[in-house]
Amino acid sequence: MIIKYFTFSVSITIISWIVGMIVTAILARTPSYKNLSSLNFIPGASANKLIGIDAFRWIVKNTFFRFFNPKLKIKGRIETAQMLELRKEMTFSEISHFAGFGFVAVFAVVKFINAEFLFGMIMMLINVLMNLYPSLLQQENKRRIDKFLMRFS
């Protein structure tokens, strides 16, 4: 039964990536998108370290996950215009993952309401690992890019 919960949770989370991209593409055409692009849920590096973002970054860089979004890679020297484009792509990815997180969270809440606590917990665990952590990693990377841009502008 746990395998069924796990399989469904991974499947719905992967589907949420597509939903997140669609929602973000729609939001990108609104004036509020600029406000969304400057969100920071975790203020600094020490909090990120505490929740394990460094370990998550290592996993993304050293496993098959590195192939998922090739636009988010830096190769060699990079110019300011390329950094701005990279930041734009990171923002899109970040907001997409947050939208996907919300999508899956609705399903998990329904499971909790229906007293299927184990199913809901597994779903949220997978959701946190596959949607929330990537989004928080993008936020940290955007802060690093912002520091770079401030230093060289």
Side-chain angles (χ1 to χ4, degrees), residues 114-139:
N114 291 334
E116 297 180 67
F117 301 114
L118 181 61
F119 198 173
M121 288 298 292
I122 291 172
M123 195 177 296
M124 279 309 292
L125 178 67
I126 299 296
N127 193 23
V128 164
L129 292 174
M130 294 176 74
N131 273 324
L132 185 61
Y133 268 49
S135 192
L136 295 175
L137 180 60
Q138 297 307 338
Q139 282 186 357

Side-chain angles (χ1 to χ4, degrees), residues 33-49:
Y33 186 76
K34 184 170 174 55
N35 295 336
L36 291 173
S37 69
S38 61
L39 287 178
N40 267 321
F41 291 107
I42 301 204
S46 60
N48 277 334
K49 186 172 244 167

Side-chain angles (χ1 to χ4, degrees), residues 72-85:
L72 300 180
K73 286 193 176 60
I74 296 176
K75 294 177 184 128
R77 290 187 53 93
I78 190 163
E79 301 296 321
T80 302
Q82 293 168 310
M83 277 291 200
L84 290 170
E85 184 62 29

Side-chain angles (χ1 to χ4, degrees), residues 37 44 59 109 112 123 143-144 151:
S37 69
I59 291 168
V109 167
F112 282 119
M123 195 177 296
R143 283 193 299 272
R144 291 169 55 204
R151 190 178 313 142

